[in-house]
Each structure stands twice: as structure tokens, then as C-alpha cells.
Amino acid sequence: VYGLTTSYSAGTPVESVAAGGPTSVSVSQTLTGLRPDTTYHYRIVESVAATPYAPAVTSDGQDRTFTTNSLGLILLSGTRFAVDRGGRVAVPLRCRSGAACVARFSIQTQVEVGRGSARHIGEMLCATAVTRIAPRRSRLAGARLSSGCLALLMSAHGRLAATFTTRPRTGQLGLVRRVALVTGRQRSGKRVRRHRRRGSH
């Protein structure tokens, strides 16, 4: 039996072992439907049928654990993305897996349309991209903002709140993270101000 806790919510089919055989017997089962990057509890449950001379007996083995592989798990190395004048943005991604990760991600932001009773708040798709990352490696994945999002960014004084989302493949955990899109000009302006403070002392 196995599960996320010692309540053991699932079990494998019963496997019979003939009486009078070897003192040690190996049993194995293939488990399906497990979550990636998750720790499970399991134990062996042995039942001996009743005989004319003894009642039925059930004994529980020792609780043990195993952890599934983090298949294709994508991690975000930062939450602040610099956007150049052409709308290009580099997204820092990391592959936490023994197998290569395929990242299918999108960046979107909220947008307000209309006024008064016709006012509506929706989501605008800023960018979408597909990239491949080698096992346990990091890389900057390139994408390009839509013209609408780029215009919003410029009108918002060079900083725009957005949401980064991955669309997972089979066995991969999805990721949703709040991020900030900033213009390169805003980043360089901050560096200049720090330099001036150091120079004034």
C-alpha cells in the first residue's frame, strides 16, 4: 500500500506467495499516476489465510518512503525581466531534472478596456515561446512582447506587472509566478543614481 501520507490511500494488486517456499521472497509492482517531485509513503502488508488450526493473521511492514523524479520541472531564476526597445525580453530559466526540460511559457498582463458600466478588465498576452533546456542547466530564453504590451510598458513609466506561466507537458509541474517587465533604460538609470551617490561622499 502507498500514498502521500501514512494513511496509504492506494494499493497494488494482491500477490500470492506459496507456503513452504523460500524464507525470503522479492515482490515488485509498477506504480502509475504518481506526481513528479513528490515523496510517497509505502509499506508491505502480509495476510496469512486461516487454517483449521489457526485464525487469519495480517501484519504490517515498516513504513518507508520514495521520491519521484522531477521530470522536466522548470524554475524561474528571477522575477524582473528587462525589455529592450524592440520588445525583446530574456527570461532566466533553470531545468531541475535529470532529463531535458521543454519550456512552453507565456507572459501576460492585466488590461482595462472601456469606462463606467462598460469597463472591463481582462488579460493581454504579451509573449509566448518554446525553448529546450539541458538537464540541470540554466539559460536565457528569448521572447518578444506584443506591440500592445510594449505600448503599455512605455506608458507605465518603464515598469509593468505581469504573470509568467508555463504550460506543462505530461509529468511536468506547471509554474505561475508574478513578474515585473522593466525597460533597459530604467535599469541603467538606477545604476547612474547609485554612482552619483557614491561620488558625492
Side-chain angles (χ1 to χ4, degrees):
V1 292
Y2 62 95
L4 296 176
T5 68
T6 52
S7 296
Y8 308 108
S9 58
T12 64
V14 174
E15 185 169 341
S16 298
V17 179
T23 56
S24 177
V25 177
S26 295
V27 294
S28 64
Q29 290 285 346
T30 300
L31 307 182
T32 60
L34 301 179
R35 301 178 187 176
D37 197 33
T38 303
T39 298
Y40 286 84
H41 293 262
Y42 76 96
R43 71 182 176 189
I44 303 296
V45 178
E46 180 187 21
S47 297
V48 179
T51 69
Y53 310 102
V57 176
T58 298
S59 58
D60 297 328
Q62 181 182 358
D63 175 71
R64 298 179 182 275
T65 61
F66 66 87
T67 301
T68 55
N69 293 330
S70 55
L71 176 61
L73 180 60
I74 299 291
L75 298 178
L76 199 57
S77 301
T79 57
R80 185 181 177 94
F81 305 161
V83 182
D84 67 15
R85 292 182 179 180
R88 291 182 296 269
V89 57
V91 181
L93 297 175
R94 184 160 63 91
C95 177
R96 182 188 170 189
S97 173
C101 299
V102 177
R104 299 165 54 239
F105 67 83
S106 62
I107 303 171
Q108 58 189 30
T109 188
Q110 283 193 342
V111 61
E112 182 178 327
V113 179
R115 295 181 179 178
S117 59
R119 179 172 173 265
H120 174 72
I121 297 178
E123 295 288 336
M124 176 184 289
L125 181 63
C126 293
T128 182
V130 178
T131 190
R132 182 181 175 87
I133 310 172
R136 298 187 176 89
R137 294 297 181 93
S138 299
R139 68 164 296 178
L140 291 174
R144 184 185 293 272
L145 296 191
S146 63
S147 57
C149 276
L150 187 57
L152 282 177
L153 176 62
M154 296 306 177
S155 64
H157 306 291
R159 181 183 176 91
L160 186 66
T163 303
F164 173 87
T165 306
T166 61
R167 299 184 297 280
R169 58 177 178 167
T170 302
Q172 177 178 315
L173 295 176
L175 177 69
V176 178
R177 186 69 55 82
R178 296 293 294 169
V179 298
L181 303 174
V182 298
T183 60
R185 181 174 53 188
Q186 185 190 55
R187 289 165 60 93
S188 62
K190 289 189 175 182
R191 286 195 294 268
V192 169
R193 285 195 291 272
R194 291 194 191 103
H195 178 73
R196 286 176 178 173
R197 288 194 193 103
R198 286 196 296 267
S200 63
H201 288 291

